[in-house]
Amino acid sequence: MATGQKLMRAIRVFEFGGPEVLKLQSNVAVPVPKDHQVLIKVHACGVNPVETYIRSGTYSRKPVLPYTPGTDVAGVIESVGDSVSAFKKGDRVFCSSTISGGYAEFALAADHTVYTLPETLDFKQGAALAIPYFTACRALFHSARVQAGESVLVHGASGGVGLATCQVARAHGLKVLGTAGSEEGKKLVLQNGAHEVFDHKEVNYIDKIKKSVGDEGVDVVIEMLANVNLSNDLKLLSRGGRVIVVGCRGTIEINPRDTMAKETSIIGVSLFSSTKEELQQFAGILQTGIEKGWVKPVIGSEYPLEKVVQAHEDIIHSSGKTGKMILLL
């Protein structure tokens, strides 16, 4: 059988909509890498909230239909394009982006978005690296421009991005506060770098945060659910403080006056806007963290490819999420 005719199992989306539009097909052609591309045999793929927004058709980026979702995979190089010199067949890798989609047995990626997976981490952990840690780095360093000694509140800290943010912030000398919605989540947040944790399901938890940070307020809020929390976030900030919007699932009413007295800002984050150079910078921070041992990906729920519909339902509807959700292939 010619190379171009190899077939694989992959999830395909033919129309935008609810989780039910995710279709498992077993006759999808395996892509062939060109020039600066590599083909990865996928062992694990991350599931991220943004993939549910894209699938529903409500996100600013709409892929051409049909498409295969999935961004951050970990696996082994199967083959490489003619211009690739950094990788060879058999190398263990993870990536921050795919060309052909990650919810599949094989995924095509540009070589500058692929990184060596250290032997100390397994494929599940490899699939929990790129999106959570690169997003954390972009939010903290690019958007918030944090300085050692500042305080940061990670609002929704027990998910994949939240835990990564706690680890990165703690390693870079910040005072880290986190929120979670379950006992298990709160424990995880403390184990992964937070100095203090608050239960965002408690009615008066905002008052508890205010009491903890005092009149000074908090320098930076990394916000995972802006449509619920943004108004409160603005009231927690210090002079010159900033809210960094990482996640949002709808609209919210705020009073712009809350930004004026302390000259605070609201800044959005989009990992997809990163340049090649910025991605290399984030990869460098991650590499250092892996070597020093403070990068410790926490794996949450695991699903086989057949259960992808369930995964997309759970990532949005299960509150008190802990760790990074992954698909296993």
Side-chain angles (χ1 to χ4, degrees):
M1 207 183 239
T3 317
Q5 295 306 302
K6 279 189 183 166
L7 300 178
M8 64 175 181
R9 293 188 315 141
I11 300 299
R12 301 292 280 162
V13 174
F14 293 90
E15 59 180 327
F16 297 115
E20 70 283 352
V21 302
L22 298 162
K23 304 293 184 194
L24 176 60
Q25 299 204 312
S26 53
N27 59 348
V28 180
V30 175
V32 178
K34 301 188 185 80
D35 299 341
H36 287 280
Q37 297 174 348
V38 301
L39 183 68
I40 301 167
K41 182 171 183 13
V42 179
H43 286 248
C45 179
V47 179
N48 302 287
V50 69
E51 286 142 27
T52 69
Y53 313 153
I54 294 168
R55 183 215 68 227
S56 68
T58 58
Y59 195 64
S60 53
R61 272 188 342 134
K62 281 196 181 70
V64 176
L65 295 168
Y67 78 99
T68 295
T71 315
D72 43 352
V73 307
V76 174
I77 298 283
E78 178 73 12
S79 57
V80 300
D82 294 339
S83 308
V84 176
S85 56
F87 300 102
K88 62 184 187 309
K89 184 177 167 68
D91 286 351
R92 295 169 86 251
V93 295
F94 69 97
C95 71
S96 57
S97 170
T98 66
I99 295 164
S100 60
Y103 296 7
E105 288 177 318
F106 293 92
L108 202 58
D111 61 356
H112 73 271
T113 64
V114 178
Y115 314 89
T116 299
L117 180 64
E119 291 296 336
T120 48
L121 298 177
D122 63 24
F123 290 118
K124 291 180 196 178
Q125 292 172 306
L129 286 175
I131 297 294
Y133 287 90
F134 285 18
T135 301
C137 288
R138 189 162 186 83
L140 290 167
F141 305 121
H142 178 272
S143 303
R145 303 192 182 281
V146 293
Q147 304 287 333
E150 286 193 310
S151 57
V152 59
L153 168 67
V154 184
H155 216 155
S158 64
V161 176
L163 291 170
T165 305
C166 290
Q167 291 173 13
V168 175
R170 180 66 178 256
H172 286 81
L174 284 100
K175 184 188 178 191
V176 185
L177 312 174
T179 76
S182 67
E183 284 307 313
E184 185 198 354
K186 280 161 58 179
K187 204 166 128 191
L188 257 183
V189 170
L190 285 174
Q191 285 167 352
N192 285 279
H195 294 87
E196 274 187 89
V197 69
F198 302 88
D199 187 337
H200 53 224
K201 288 190 174 164
E202 281 182 16
V203 180
N204 63 337
Y205 85 98
I206 293 290
D207 295 330
K208 289 186 177 178
I209 296 173
K210 279 182 181 165
K211 195 173 168 189
S212 170
V213 299
D215 294 337
E216 291 270 296
V218 69
D219 297 308
V220 175
V221 179
I222 304 293
E223 182 51 68
M224 306 301 170
L225 198 59
N227 53 298
V228 173
N229 301 320
L230 186 57
S231 184
N232 280 328
D233 291 340
L234 293 175
K235 297 180 180 78
L236 290 170
L237 290 176
S238 64
R239 180 165 295 284
R242 44 271 186 227
V243 178
I244 309 300
V245 179
V246 172
C248 184
R249 295 179 187 169
T251 58
I252 183 172
E253 187 173 306
I254 62 164
N255 184 349
R257 187 179 290 278
D258 292 335
T259 66
M260 293 166 67
K262 292 187 176 177
E263 297 189 325
T264 56
S265 9
I266 302 165
I267 304 166
V269 173
S270 169
L271 182 59
F272 301 121
S273 302
S274 305
T275 63
K276 274 188 193 184
E277 291 71 28
E278 285 164 348
L279 290 174
Q280 289 305 327
Q281 183 197 345
F282 304 153
I285 294 168
L286 193 53
Q287 204 66 45
T288 303
I290 292 168
E291 285 165 13
K292 291 192 170 173
W294 56 256
V295 165
K296 299 187 290 275
V298 178
I299 305 305
S301 317
E302 302 172 14
Y303 300 80
L305 204 53
E306 295 78 12
K307 293 274 168 51
V308 67
V309 171
Q310 189 66 50
H312 268 225
E313 282 170 3
D314 291 350
I315 201 164
I316 295 300
H317 300 300
S318 307
S319 57
K321 286 193 303 291
T322 52
K324 171 75 185 243
M325 184 181 283
I326 54 168
L327 293 174
L328 292 174
L329 286 100

